[in-house]
Amino acid sequence: MDELTLRDPLKGEGPGQGLPHPESYWAAISGPAPDDDGPLLGDHDTDVAVIGGGYTGLSAAYFLGKHHGMKAVVLEANRPGWGCSGRNGGFARPVIGRLGPGAMIKAWGLDTARRMFAEGHAALDTVRGFIAAGVDCDPSASGHLKIAHRPACAATLAADAEVLRTRFDYPSQLLSADELRANHLGGPQSHGALVLKDAIGLNPLKLSFGVLRLARAQGAMVMSGSPVNGWTKEGKHHLLATPKGRVRARQVLIATNGYTPEGLHASVRGTLLPVLSHIIVTRPMTPSEKAEAAFHTSHVITDTRNLLYYFRRMPDERILFGGRGQITDSPESRAAQRGFLLAELKRKCPALSSITVDYDWCGWVCITRDQMPHIHHAEDDVTVSYALGYQGSGVAAGLHAGRLAADRLAGKPLPALGPALSPLPRFPFAAFRRAGQRAAFVWYKFKDERT
């Protein structure tokens, strides 16, 4: 069995083994994690070995059992839901990739764009399906506000609303700055908004707990503390080694997203850019702070920045506020980003000048060269599949990708989703991805803040 080099040169870290869920607001309120199957011990045979126990891997294992009668063994280095599946902002939006409606038409043509738009809503339906199946994840009422953070951005939102209405047959609502500030959110960066009806807020860690329970109920084995540290192929079977066991499988699904080590498999080398996203959660607002900030809405909120901020008012009157993280992760960078995000929240809501932070954490989201997720197989081996690259919007897309990947592994035809079902494109000069990220951040910050 060949030993894999799992330390990721882009992050300077390996996958870990058996690590507990990181401290976060979600970890503090979600209760104990449900049982998994513990570390892999000894040898096991299975139909599909799934590498990664986040939304995609757990969803794939569930649908493989429920719809196709196939046995899956999920190999998770730490605890199921340990990565961004358990520590994101809890925004379930009907999006596949990062392109807006007009950009999708320009990139792919109207027919493909309409199919991708519809698939985004199918992804949100997958989330709702898990909730209907008994997953308790505290879903909010539906609604998404996309807020113009500068006056000029209101025209961009109006153009988006027109494209949605005329090309996608999708109704939306435009709010003026006065309407937004009176009924939803005040402050100097509220210059109008596009109201989209289809999005929900939820507890992402409890969502991962619920999908874990369902996957195991369908016969999947979900192994924690079991990083893959060796991978060979003997005949038609893959042999995946973990520290204390081994899995023999006819097919393998890579579902590690922003935590994919460069050396895991040749099919993903040079194709992914892990980028930190950072979240703070404040103390509860006082009634007077809430009134003065005019923070009335319970919709999930994003703004019109390229380096966007995403935020929401929580049921306990805290504010969850997230955005890009630092380039690299360290205690010093986390402290700096915590202060930066708090200052940015106060820029949006000066009435919250005395608000403080009770929780903060970060995690690696997964960016691809074309800003699209990809469900495909290795160029030289159709028995190695991957579902990766959710661009920081993986709650709905990740769960739905697991469903689509399960269909593909079972030999079922997939919808005509064009770019999402194509091979992962490699970054040019992949060794310099971090340098490119730094340059992009400087440029986007300039564009976002110009008046």
Side-chain angles (χ1 to χ4, degrees):
M1 180 68 67
D2 296 335
E3 188 76 14
L4 290 174
T5 301
L6 291 180
R7 182 166 294 277
D8 191 336
L10 289 175
K11 302 194 291 286
E13 62 183 19
Q17 181 180 341
L19 298 174
H21 288 284
E23 294 182 3
S24 70
Y25 173 69
W26 306 123
I29 70 169
S30 297
D35 290 338
D36 53 52
D37 292 292
L40 185 73
L41 303 175
D43 290 352
H44 298 265
D45 284 3
T46 189
D47 296 320
V48 180
V50 179
I51 306 175
Y55 291 149
T56 300
L58 295 173
S59 174
Y62 168 72
F63 285 111
L64 282 167
K66 181 175 178 62
H67 289 172
H68 306 295
M70 295 174 67
K71 180 181 178 181
V73 173
V74 180
L75 301 173
E76 165 58 43
N78 297 302
R79 298 296 301 274
W82 178 87
C84 281
S85 295
R87 59 174 101 172
N88 63 77
F91 287 42
R93 299 188 297 129
V95 295
I96 304 289
R98 197 169 185 267
L99 300 184
M104 287 196 295
I105 296 172
K106 184 177 181 180
W108 311 318
L110 181 59
D111 287 347
T112 299
R114 287 174 67 94
R115 287 195 296 269
M116 295 298 295
F117 185 80
E119 202 66 22
H121 286 81
L124 185 56
D125 287 342
T126 295
V127 178
R128 296 188 189 278
F130 277 117
I131 294 171
V135 173
D136 175 17
C137 57
D138 307 327
S140 71
S142 296
H144 170 205
L145 283 175
K146 187 173 183 180
I147 291 180
H149 76 286
R150 295 186 296 111
C153 295
T156 302
L157 295 182
D160 284 348
E162 181 68 8
V163 171
L164 288 170
R165 182 182 67 82
T166 61
R167 310 307 293 276
F168 295 93
D169 301 320
Y170 184 81
S172 59
Q173 179 187 5
L174 280 172
L175 299 178
S176 68
D178 288 343
E179 290 172 322
L180 175 63
R181 291 167 179 165
N183 300 314
H184 294 275
L185 179 67
Q189 294 186 20
S190 292
H191 298 286
L194 183 63
V195 184
L196 303 167
K197 62 180 180 178
D198 293 306
I200 55 175
L202 48 75
N203 179 323
L205 184 57
K206 289 177 70 174
L207 177 60
S208 72
F209 288 172
V211 181
L212 166 62
R213 291 187 182 99
L214 290 177
R216 295 185 72 220
Q218 290 297 328
M221 294 177 62
V222 182
M223 319 309 301
S224 60
S226 300
V228 174
N229 56 18
W231 186 344
T232 57
K233 192 173 183 183
E234 294 183 359
K236 295 183 178 181
H237 289 86
H238 297 271
L239 296 178
L240 303 183
T242 69
K244 297 182 180 180
R246 191 169 66 164
V247 171
R248 185 172 181 264
R250 293 187 295 108
Q251 298 190 77
V252 177
L253 173 64
I254 300 171
T256 40
N257 211 44
Y259 291 82
T260 306
E262 278 282 287
L264 182 60
H265 193 269
S267 63
V268 298
R269 190 173 296 123
T271 64
L272 307 174
L273 176 63
V275 173
L276 283 170
S277 188
H278 198 116
I279 295 173
I280 61 173
V281 174
T282 70
R283 64 159 170 78
M285 291 184 290
T286 65
S288 60
E289 285 175 328
K290 179 181 174 182
E292 189 175 352
F295 207 135
H296 306 303
T297 189
S298 59
H299 291 348
V300 300
I301 306 171
T302 58
D303 65 16
T304 45
R305 287 175 165 83
N306 291 283
L307 299 174
L308 63 80
Y309 295 122
Y310 52 95
F311 51 110
R312 50 189 283 221
R313 179 171 63 87
M314 307 303 293
D316 58 5
E317 303 298 348
R318 300 177 189 271
I319 300 171
L320 179 150
F321 189 86
R324 69 165 179 85
Q326 297 279 338
I327 299 291
T328 57
D329 187 23
S330 68
E332 294 76 20
S333 69
R334 293 185 186 193
Q337 198 65 10
R338 171 188 174 120
F340 172 78
L341 290 174
L342 179 59
E344 289 297 289
L345 171 60
K346 292 178 179 180
R347 282 181 65 197
K348 284 187 175 292
C349 301
L352 303 179
S353 60
S354 298
I355 203 81
T356 56
V357 174
D358 282 351
Y359 304 91
D360 79 294
W361 66 95
C362 61
W364 297 99
V365 302
C366 188
I367 307 299
T368 59
R369 180 183 174 186
D370 62 355
Q371 302 183 63
M372 284 294 297
H374 288 264
I375 304 165
H376 202 65
H377 57 78
E379 295 177 9
D380 60 348
D381 190 346
V382 296
T383 66
V384 177
S385 299
Y386 51 74
L388 302 162
Y390 307 119
Q391 322 304 312
S393 297
V395 176
L399 287 167
H400 193 59
R403 182 175 193 158
L404 294 175
D407 286 346
R408 186 192 177 281
L409 291 161
K412 181 180 178 181
L414 297 185
L417 299 179
L421 301 182
S422 63
L424 273 165
R426 299 187 187 278
F427 283 93
F429 309 106
F432 300 98
R433 277 167 282 178
R434 280 283 175 253
Q437 180 191 356
R438 292 179 188 275
F441 275 11
V442 172
W443 172 241
Y444 287 146
K445 183 176 182 180
F446 167 75
K447 289 183 67 177
D448 288 339
E449 299 302 329
R450 63 181 179 175
T451 57

